[in-house]
Amino acid sequence: MPPSPCAICKTNRALILRPKNHQKLCKPCFLSVFESEIHHTITTNNLFHRGERIAIGASGGKDSTVLASVLKTLNERYDYGVELILLSIDEGIKGYRDDSLETVKRNAQQYNMPLTILGYSELYGWTMDQVVEQVGKKGNCTYCGVFRRQALDRGAARLGVKHVVTGHNADDVAETVLMNLLRGDLPRLSRTTSIITSTPSAALANPSSSSPSSPPSHTNIKRSKPLKYAYEKEIVLYAHHKNLDYFSTECIYSPEAFRGSARALIKNLERVRPSAILDVVRSGEDMARLVPGSDEGCGGGCESQGGNGGQIPVAEEEDGGCGSSGGRTVGGDMAAVERQLALNENAQENGLEVEIRTVGVKSQGCERSDSLRSDVVSLVNGKSGQRVKGQAFTPRKTPQRQVMGQCKRCGYLSSQEICKACVLLEGLNKNRPKNQIEVDGHGQEEANEAVDAIEVGLQQVKIEGI
Amino acid sequence: MPGKSLEQQSVMVEQSCRRCRTNPAVLVVRTEPVCGECFSKYVHTKVIKRMESFRVRFTSPDQLRKILLPISFGISSVSLLHILDRQLQTQKSKTGRTGYSLHVIHVDTSSVEPSAPDAGLLSQLKDRYPHHIYASVPLHELFMSSADGSPSEAYKDLTEDSSLEDMPADQKLLFLIGSLPSATARADVISTLRTRLLVQCAKDLGCEGILWGDSTTRLAEKTLAETAKGRGFALPWQIGDGDSPFGLTFNYPVRDLLKKELTAYASITEPPLFPLIYEPPKTSQPAPSSKSTTIDDLMKQYFESVEENFPSIVSNVVRTTTKLEAPSTFLSEARCKLCNMPVADGRFGIHGWGGDQEDGLDISGKPSRELCYGCTRSVPPTVTLSQGVK
Ligand SMILES: [Zn+2]
Ligand SMILES: [Zn+2]
């Protein structure tokens, strides 16, 4: 093939096939278009304002490293006037973070940004290793997932920072849109497509977190995703061509089946039509406006609101990205949801109601409190076993709108009186013997087989890359 | 393979039907072993329940309610016809009249889809269910000029160039489809045009609505496929029962049945429905290239596997998506010139939103076409009907 000129400058030789739209670009034009798109995302959504201190959630991985690099570049180029700092969380798993934290430390020097590393021990009084010692290997994923979700906000509060940016990219958001469709969770679909999320008092006009009687101040942390429209493949390309120093590691957790399944779909979709990732994100934003009662669900695409408009409270939820799913056992969640849905269907068919005994859910912190409130009833972590009995009970007539409040203990946004982390901590602190988290071995096996079957199904349509 | 799924699901151990507790069970429906008779009843009930508003008592004797039933010769639409035919016969024998009459329409897409079914199947359908009105309409009818020679609405919508006006309608269609950039785009535009043509037929025939044959599984596929094609905004009108934006009602009476249940059903009817059903040739190439695979194909394969082990998750996807609410202002919104869906605030095209790729770049000469986001993806600005050359 004859060398083709760059589609933008028409001068240099094109070296890069742009994953987003298959444009042929030279290296400088690729770097510049990548940066200018993120600049566009930041300015049209009014993500930053002058004088703001912003913590970059830094894991040493490609997404957060590229985020730090690009934000530094743009802050200097366009004079945003923001102060950028790096915030890393150390879960306290011996050896697990060593390399990535070393990377973050080098990044701090390379970008001349102050770095704070906060451990779970400082944030929660427990390292993950200690949690594992207490509850055993099987149950620790719940803790890790719940703790991880709050860690950045808690950490930011300690630093007196009110805005945390994370490296969630377009692939993560698209994956989350499909996953929430598969899980049947419209409220969460609506929240996670938003580019800015915030805990409730930040969404309120005038947070008074300084009053001494109020809970600790990590209630008003704004979160945003400047890479929301950036393709994972382009992030990798950018890191490569800028020679960025990042720590490349696969997540040690296997994603739960809903997410894994959505991820496989996204990869296949991207092969069939490169714009599909962006198109799913767009659909997600549009659908967020159609979710009943979600007048604020503008999904970040709503430019008329501008400013702080369109901020959507974020719950203790996974909003995409590796690790945030907390590493559940493969297939467990799908099988559990399936069992519960099937029971509900049968009950409706027969005019009976089923009792949903959420044994263990309360004491261990419910992973899926949102779902429990909607008509999708799932049990914690796919470990429902056979806890469901066909007895009469008064069901919730209609799916309730989720009411978000603050945890009475720590003030974190929660749909329950006490947030998941505090519930878990209470359990840990009571120093009970081994927690009763059991996996129904048989059901798990079936679930794994079923998920395998789906993966086979997907492989059948596996198509050649470009 | 007819009856395959029935055998697959057959109960190994001799069990009696959980419903009538008399006959031996022949298959398992949502964890319940049932006999053929009870299964039939189950399928009928699921559909008839969705046909509530078409009961005889809701129709005055001098009123003739006409509904259009599109037939693709797939399992779902043929099963729907079979069930409705029985419903109409029952209505007639009980009350001496029917609540409605059916116009069965097949859209012939064979000129642009090599795997399209043979329109000859329609006469077999007519032989078996003779009480309805049947017609096969070629897809290019959408581009046919009216009697006075003026170009069709659809054609005017898609091009301002009059140079091709004299071209025969079938050539216009070939040009348009031939100029599209991918298999996904072609499949997308063909199905969009098909819907549009069916709406037009329904209006011409004086039908009050369309009964779509989509099964639960198909609706779940559609939900994810349309989402992936950037058409999430239009889902309430593509999945939900009731008023469509086209001045007709859309209903999905088969929405509570899985594809595998319909497959089982089609083999236990007397005689089986299989001779009337068209199965597209299995594209079992080892590794279909990204060129020939469409987004619809991907979702179809995906939900076929999910349905196998997680049928309730499939139903739940549909139930959930059905809760999306069309914006109350939709009737006054501007329409997409291709799919005719209302586009909120006239936000046509793929620009002017957060994920806009071209922002910050020079996009001078951008044509201002009134196509929605999803249609713009399938028919990029470089494609026009008038220059559609392969
Ligand atoms: Zn029976
Ligand atoms: Zn359109």
Side-chain angles (χ1 to χ4, degrees):
Chain A
M1 252 207 322
S4 40
C6 168
I8 293 177
C9 67
K10 323 265 188 221
T11 315
N12 299 336
R13 202 175 138 186
L15 288 171
I16 295 169
L17 185 67
R18 211 186 158 194
K20 213 177 208 176
N21 56 10
H22 285 198
Q23 238 180 358
K24 289 172 186 154
L25 301 181
C26 69
K27 179 175 145 180
C29 283
F30 169 72
L31 296 179
S32 130
V33 77
F34 182 85
E35 288 160 3
S36 66
E37 283 182 10
I38 291 163
H39 171 61
H40 173 248
T41 303
I42 291 167
T43 50
T44 54
N45 290 288
N46 294 306
L47 292 192
F48 303 158
H49 50 83
R50 186 166 291 279
E52 204 176 12
R53 278 180 85 211
I54 298 168
I56 301 169
S59 67
K62 59 175 172 24
D63 297 315
S64 60
T65 303
V66 165
L67 181 61
S69 167
V70 170
L71 289 188
K72 180 186 168 63
T73 304
L74 295 177
N75 192 27
E76 286 163 7
R77 181 181 303 160
Y78 298 102
D79 188 28
Y80 293 157
V82 295
E83 186 189 338
L84 298 167
I85 61 174
L86 298 172
L87 171 59
S88 291
I89 303 297
D90 184 355
E91 295 89 343
I93 304 171
K94 202 169 188 330
Y96 171 54
R97 281 284 174 210
D98 293 356
D99 293 331
S100 53
L101 288 178
E102 282 314 307
T103 312
V104 177
K105 285 177 195 161
R106 287 196 303 276
N107 288 160
Q109 289 186 335
Q110 289 151 1
Y111 306 142
N112 193 25
M113 288 181 195
L115 163 68
T116 305
I117 301 176
L118 284 172
Y120 274 16
S121 53
E122 291 153 276
L123 294 172
Y124 301 108
W126 291 78
T127 67
M128 269 317 289
D129 282 342
Q130 289 167 334
V131 172
V132 172
E133 210 171 292
Q134 169 96 347
V135 306
K137 277 225 157 86
K138 274 181 184 166
N140 73 73
C141 291
T142 312
Y143 292 83
C144 198
V146 170
F147 287 174
R148 191 190 296 249
R149 249 159 268 153
Q150 288 194 7
L152 281 177
D153 290 350
R154 287 180 181 240
R158 290 201 169 210
L159 300 177
V161 171
K162 294 203 163 145
H163 188 173
V164 177
V165 290
T166 56
H168 290 105
N169 58 41
D171 299 52
D172 295 330
V173 176
E175 189 180 296
T176 307
V177 168
L178 294 192
M179 184 180 74
N180 284 318
L181 282 174
L182 290 171
R183 272 207 307 222
D185 195 338
L186 290 182
R188 191 174 295 190
L189 181 143
S190 161
R191 284 195 302 272
T192 50
T193 51
S194 173
I195 190 162
I196 305 172
T197 50
S198 67
T199 40
S201 38
L204 294 175
N206 188 15
S208 56
S209 54
S210 51
S211 101
S213 60
S214 70
S217 60
H218 60 286
T219 53
N220 54 350
I221 309 294
K222 176 166 108 183
R223 282 228 208 176
S224 66
K225 320 182 242 236
L227 300 183
K228 179 185 173 190
Y229 301 109
Y231 274 37
E232 187 172 277
K233 282 182 176 171
E234 301 202 354
I235 289 170
V236 174
L237 275 175
Y238 185 85
H240 173 76
H241 287 289
K242 287 275 275 190
N243 281 317
L244 298 187
D245 181 7
Y246 68 92
F247 180 65
S248 166
T249 179
E250 288 297 306
C251 178
I252 59 166
Y253 303 110
S254 50
E256 56 171 319
F258 278 116
R259 183 173 289 282
S261 181
R263 186 171 296 174
L265 270 177
I266 290 292
K267 296 285 172 226
N268 279 333
L269 284 171
E270 188 184 14
R271 286 188 200 107
V272 169
R273 185 187 259 187
S275 69
I277 292 177
L278 206 54
D279 300 343
V280 172
V281 175
R282 167 64 181 248
S283 282
E285 290 182 6
D286 286 343
M287 285 153 75
R289 291 189 201 90
L290 309 177
V291 174
S294 75
D295 29 41
E296 76 248 286
C298 84
C302 184
E303 276 158 43
S304 59
Q305 290 201 27
N308 289 332
Q311 285 193 11
I312 295 177
V314 64
E316 312 160 69
E317 67 198 15
E318 50 220 84
D319 52 358
C322 191
S324 56
S325 62
R328 266 154 293 263
T329 41
V330 178
D333 61 330
M334 238 166 156
V337 170
E338 173 65 26
R339 272 197 294 269
Q340 190 55 55
L341 289 170
L343 274 165
N344 292 356
E345 278 172 10
N346 278 347
Q348 260 199 332
E349 196 100 336
N350 306 325
L352 296 169
E353 304 295 349
V354 287
E355 182 189 14
I356 301 137
R357 281 178 56 209
T358 48
V359 174
V361 168
K362 285 223 170 94
S363 64
Q364 291 158 20
C366 174
E367 274 293 301
R368 295 266 182 280
S369 57
D370 302 354
S371 305
L372 278 168
R373 285 172 168 260
S374 73
D375 57 347
V376 185
V377 187
S378 62
L379 297 178
V380 64
N381 278 344
K383 294 172 183 97
S384 65
Q386 299 299 319
R387 286 189 206 117
V388 184
K389 293 267 160 63
Q391 294 163 8
F393 116 120
T394 324
R396 291 197 166 87
K397 282 286 183 294
T398 45
Q400 288 182 347
R401 248 198 100 187
Q402 199 171 335
V403 184
M404 282 295 174
Q406 282 174 252
C407 170
K408 288 207 167 148
R409 298 254 162 88
C410 71
Y412 194 85
L413 180 68
S414 173
S415 52
Q416 311 288 321
E417 207 164 278
I418 309 290
C419 79
K420 293 170 197 170
C422 287
V423 170
L424 291 177
L425 282 172
E426 187 183 38
L428 286 169
N429 293 335
K430 272 187 192 159
N431 204 13
R432 284 189 307 208
K434 205 164 147 75
N435 228 307
Q436 319 146 292
I437 302 176
E438 284 163 24
V439 180
D440 178 341
H442 181 62
Q444 191 57 48
E445 215 163 274
E446 272 173 16
N448 286 342
E449 273 166 29
V451 170
D452 285 348
I454 292 179
E455 271 157 19
V456 169
L458 281 171
Q459 272 157 19
Q460 284 167 354
V461 289
K462 197 174 168 193
I463 40 178
E464 285 154 11
I466 312 108
Chain B
M1 202 49 81
K4 188 171 164 233
S5 139
L6 188 64
E7 276 160 38
Q8 277 174 346
Q9 299 173 46
S10 69
V11 191
M12 288 302 141
V13 193
E14 273 296 313
Q15 269 190 82
S16 63
C17 169
R18 184 83 54 88
R19 297 197 168 201
C20 64
R21 301 189 186 278
T22 316
N23 303 333
V26 294
L27 75 167
V28 176
V29 179
R30 314 209 179 184
T31 71
E32 223 181 37
V34 291
C35 70
E37 205 178 304
C38 287
F39 177 61
S40 270
K41 221 180 281 171
Y42 164 85
V43 169
H44 282 248
T45 311
K46 289 277 187 193
V47 173
I48 300 308
K49 210 173 66 194
R50 293 282 174 189
M51 293 293 293
E52 193 63 21
S53 60
F54 297 100
R55 291 169 66 166
V56 173
R57 71 158 105 128
F58 296 127
T59 315
S60 62
D62 53 338
Q63 191 189 4
L64 185 58
R65 295 178 73 182
K66 291 191 278 188
I67 339 178
L68 189 139
L69 172 64
I71 205 101
S72 66
F73 302 110
I75 285 171
S76 307
S77 58
V78 172
S79 301
L80 178 58
L81 174 59
H82 179 84
I83 294 162
L84 295 182
D85 184 72
R86 277 188 46 176
Q87 185 196 23
L88 289 167
Q89 290 191 39
T90 311
Q91 286 183 347
K92 187 124 200 188
S93 66
K94 278 190 184 159
T95 67
R97 60 193 183 93
T98 61
Y100 61 96
S101 68
L102 283 181
H103 282 267
V104 182
I105 305 289
H106 170 66
V107 174
D108 183 358
T109 56
S110 55
S111 69
V112 284
E113 274 182 327
S115 66
D118 179 7
L121 275 173
L122 201 65
S123 60
Q124 291 185 43
L125 220 49
K126 206 172 176 175
D127 289 346
R128 180 133 168 207
Y129 310 106
H131 304 293
H132 320 290
I133 300 159
Y134 292 82
S136 174
V137 187
L139 186 58
H140 65 248
E141 183 146 314
L142 204 52
F143 295 143
M144 295 269 221
S145 306
S146 57
D148 62 4
S150 62
S152 77
E153 283 303 314
Y155 181 73
K156 277 190 290 186
D157 275 352
L158 287 173
T159 182
E160 275 141 36
D161 185 345
S162 56
S163 64
L164 290 178
E165 249 169 50
D166 296 335
M167 182 182 275
D170 55 339
Q171 292 299 312
K172 286 175 184 158
L173 177 67
L174 281 177
F175 262 20
L176 172 65
I177 301 303
S179 65
L180 299 178
S182 65
T184 292
R186 287 188 289 276
D188 182 50
V189 171
I190 289 170
S191 86
T192 299
L193 294 176
R194 180 174 178 266
T195 302
R196 209 172 147 163
L197 177 57
L198 286 165
V199 166
Q200 187 182 302
C201 288
K203 286 182 174 166
D204 290 350
L205 292 166
C207 295
E208 63 177 88
I210 300 182
L211 297 178
W212 300 97
D214 304 46
S215 63
T216 307
T217 317
R218 174 75 193 108
L219 289 172
E221 284 165 32
K222 207 155 116 183
T223 297
L224 264 71
E226 298 303 299
T227 300
K229 290 188 267 183
R231 297 185 182 279
F233 77 96
L235 275 174
W237 302 298
Q238 293 183 299
I239 304 289
D241 288 323
D243 290 331
S244 74
F246 310 117
L248 297 166
T249 56
F250 278 9
N251 281 283
Y252 298 83
V254 199
R255 66 161 61 247
D256 297 318
L257 290 161
L258 296 163
K259 179 124 187 263
K260 65 178 177 184
E261 290 170 337
L262 292 168
T263 308
Y265 177 73
S267 64
I268 62 162
T269 58
E270 227 15 91
L273 298 177
F274 278 99
L276 305 169
I277 289 167
Y278 172 77
E279 296 239 25
K282 282 269 185 293
T283 46
S284 53
Q285 299 140 2
S289 73
S290 51
K291 286 213 167 109
S292 66
T293 308
T294 67
I295 287 177
D296 297 336
D297 293 337
L298 273 181
M299 294 308 176
K300 191 166 173 236
Q301 310 233 18
Y302 176 72
F303 277 105
E304 259 165 29
S305 14
V306 176
E307 181 193 63
E308 213 32 58
N309 295 293
F310 305 110
S312 303
I313 285 178
V314 178
S315 320
N316 192 48
V317 168
V318 179
R319 224 177 8 246
T320 307
T321 315
T322 309
K323 288 187 197 137
L324 292 173
E325 284 171 358
S328 52
T329 53
F330 78 83
L331 281 174
S332 56
E333 299 284 9
R335 299 301 182 93
C336 168
K337 294 282 192 190
L338 180 52
C339 66
N340 269 348
M341 289 293 182
V343 177
D345 308 321
R347 289 201 305 159
F348 293 115
I350 55 172
H351 299 294
W353 68 295
D356 192 344
Q357 298 182 28
E358 305 289 336
D359 253 275
L361 299 175
D362 178 27
I363 47 163
S364 56
K366 184 180 80 175
S368 54
R369 304 180 311 162
E370 293 181 351
L371 293 190
C372 71
Y373 185 95
C375 287
T376 307
R377 282 290 182 219
S378 285
V379 190
T382 48
V383 172
T384 65
L385 183 56
S386 51
Q387 55 169 225
V389 184
K390 208 161 190 168

